Amino acid sequence: MVKFFFTENAKAPVQIDGFEKNCWIDMVNPSDDECEEIAKISSISEDMLKAALDEEERARTEFDDGNSMFIVDCPLIEENGGGGDDYTTIPLAVIYNGSCIVTVCLKGNTVLKDFITGRESIDTARRVHFLLTFMLCNAKRFLYYLKQIDRKTHRIQSEMERTMRNSEIIQLLDLQNSLVYFSTSLNSNERVHEKLFKVEGVATKEEYRDLYDDIIIESRQAIETCNIYKNILSVTMDAYGSVISNNANDTMKKLTIVTILLAIPTMIAGFFGMNMPVPWQSGVTFKETGWFWLVVALTLVFTFFIGFLLLKNRPFRKRVRRKKKQDKRNKEN
């Protein structure tokens, strides 16, 4: 899809029917025919126009025959199959020359929508100002999505304090993956931002210099915020992993104790299937069942001994001993 916009007298962009000098061409997932047509009327090569159509394209700059191209990663929210949202990034190219500005992306961009609706003031005739404004708004959009991720993380942690389910753990894992994508994209964008200072007019015009300084500040703040959230979420995931492991160990310990205790009646019941005299058997006197009672007694003694070893609280006894030693030292002093 290709749309043409034009601004006049510092007003919001107005959509026009075709190409005009100093216009802005917004291309969203364009076809090959559309790329070929725009290449002819804008004097921009098709390779430049199609560069951002690769989802794996890295953030970079390119200058060729009077055309300047800046590719940056932009944050994006997509719905996943589970009804939630996934945070990812997608490349977007801003290309300009002496006649027009062209933006190319596979999907619609929220920053460009703000340009179209007039929420952000732009002028299609001021190409460098358009570029710097987009870079600044894109960095702010990263910060906005990072705050959303942080709020979702706190909400999921609150739910996991009440009940720990697989769905919450998977959601935290998805957010952790999103932060990895954001961190990689922000670091790539920072290298592009550093090259903006070499663009004509940025170093000399005060307005452009202020925009450039704001871009650097917002970009570094987004990088630091992303790293903090990523580290916090990583520690949180490790902590929940330890909690799950401890719960599993406690459960296995209880099951082991129950299994050992249930083995007692099973063992006794097995005696009645052995070839030895047992009580209440017809024709068997009490004296003849002596070996049976001996085996039962030894079994009970052995079972109670094992149960005592399993159930006694060693850490508690150690604390009591340490406390007694400390009290003894205090009295001596």
Side-chain angles (χ1 to χ4, degrees):
M1 181 176 62
V2 178
K3 294 182 180 180
F4 299 86
F5 298 93
F6 186 82
T7 56
E8 188 176 3
N9 298 327
K11 295 182 180 179
V14 177
Q15 186 171 351
I16 56 179
D17 295 331
F19 177 84
E20 292 185 12
K21 185 176 177 58
N22 295 329
C23 71
W24 163 32
I25 306 174
D26 183 28
M27 305 177 67
V28 179
N29 194 19
S31 63
D32 292 338
D33 294 337
E34 290 173 336
C35 290
E36 183 179 357
E37 180 183 357
I38 297 301
K40 291 180 180 178
I41 62 179
S42 65
S43 300
I44 300 174
S45 65
E46 288 190 44
D47 291 337
M48 276 192 172
L49 294 175
K50 294 181 179 180
L53 299 180
D54 181 8
E55 293 184 355
E56 304 300 328
E57 185 68 26
R58 61 182 178 86
R60 59 186 177 89
T61 60
E62 183 178 340
F63 305 94
D64 182 33
D65 294 335
N67 299 318
S68 301
M69 180 178 69
F70 298 84
I71 298 180
V72 293
D73 289 329
C74 303
L76 180 69
I77 298 180
E78 294 180 332
E79 293 185 0
N80 55 30
D85 295 328
D86 286 337
Y87 295 85
T88 183
T89 58
I90 189 172
L92 183 144
V94 180
I95 312 169
Y96 67 85
N97 54 20
S99 61
C100 65
I101 303 171
V102 181
T103 56
V104 188
C105 189
L106 281 172
K107 299 181 180 180
N109 184 270
T110 54
V111 175
L112 296 182
K113 289 181 181 178
D114 291 342
F115 287 1
I116 295 173
T117 57
R119 293 181 181 178
E120 293 291 339
S121 178
I122 60 168
D123 186 352
T124 56
R126 304 172 65 192
R127 298 162 184 78
V128 177
H129 183 272
F130 182 99
L131 173 66
L132 294 176
T133 303
F134 173 79
M135 295 291 186
L136 178 59
C137 294
N138 189 57
K140 291 181 178 179
R141 183 62 57 174
F142 268 107
L143 283 171
Y144 175 73
Y145 286 158
L146 285 171
K147 292 179 181 177
Q148 285 190 352
I149 292 176
D150 184 54
R151 287 196 294 268
K152 285 188 176 183
T153 301
H154 287 300
R155 176 180 57 80
I156 295 172
Q157 289 178 359
S158 300
E159 294 177 358
M160 293 183 71
E161 290 177 0
R162 297 190 298 269
T163 174
M164 190 174 297
R165 297 174 297 183
N166 292 337
S167 58
E168 280 80 13
I169 297 176
I170 293 174
Q171 290 179 25
L172 286 179
L173 181 60
D174 291 338
L175 293 178
Q176 190 176 26
N177 294 336
S178 299
L179 289 175
V180 173
Y181 288 130
F182 276 20
S183 178
T184 303
S185 298
L186 286 169
N187 290 325
S188 299
N189 288 351
E190 187 182 26
R191 291 190 289 270
V192 176
H193 295 160
E194 292 173 353
K195 296 181 180 180
L196 291 174
F197 190 76
K198 299 179 181 180
V199 176
E200 183 181 358
V202 174
T204 57
K205 293 185 179 181
E206 183 179 356
E207 180 184 7
Y208 292 171
R209 182 60 184 268
D210 292 340
L211 281 173
Y212 174 78
D213 292 339
D214 291 340
I215 292 171
I216 298 300
I217 292 172
E218 295 292 336
S219 177
R220 291 177 179 174
Q221 182 180 354
I223 292 174
E224 293 175 359
T225 303
C226 184
N227 290 334
I228 291 172
Y229 291 166
K230 186 171 64 173
N231 293 335
I232 292 175
L233 192 54
S234 178
V235 172
T236 302
M237 291 292 289
D238 292 340
Y240 282 126
S242 299
V243 171
I244 293 172
S245 178
N246 290 337
N247 291 341
N249 291 337
D250 291 341
T251 302
M252 292 304 298
K253 181 179 178 180
K254 293 176 182 177
L255 290 176
T256 302
I257 294 174
V258 172
T259 302
I260 293 175
L261 296 179
L262 289 178
I264 299 173
T266 303
M267 189 178 301
I268 295 175
F271 292 151
F272 286 88
M274 299 173 63
N275 294 325
M276 72 166 58
V278 294
W280 308 291
Q281 186 178 0
S282 59
V284 177
T285 63
F286 180 78
K287 293 181 179 180
E288 294 177 344
T289 60
W291 286 105
F292 171 82
W293 295 113
L294 177 61
V295 173
V296 170
L298 291 176
T299 302
L300 293 176
V301 171
F302 182 73
T303 301
F304 282 118
F305 177 72
I306 296 298
F308 174 75
L309 293 179
L310 292 174
L311 298 176
K312 73 174 183 177
N313 193 347
R314 291 184 178 180
F316 176 75
R317 292 189 174 184
K318 290 181 179 179
R319 289 196 296 269
V320 172
R321 294 194 194 101
R322 287 198 297 266
K323 186 176 181 181
K324 289 182 178 179
K325 291 181 180 179
Q326 186 65 30
D327 294 339
K328 187 177 180 180
R329 292 196 193 100
N330 295 335
K331 291 180 180 180
E332 292 176 354
N333 296 332

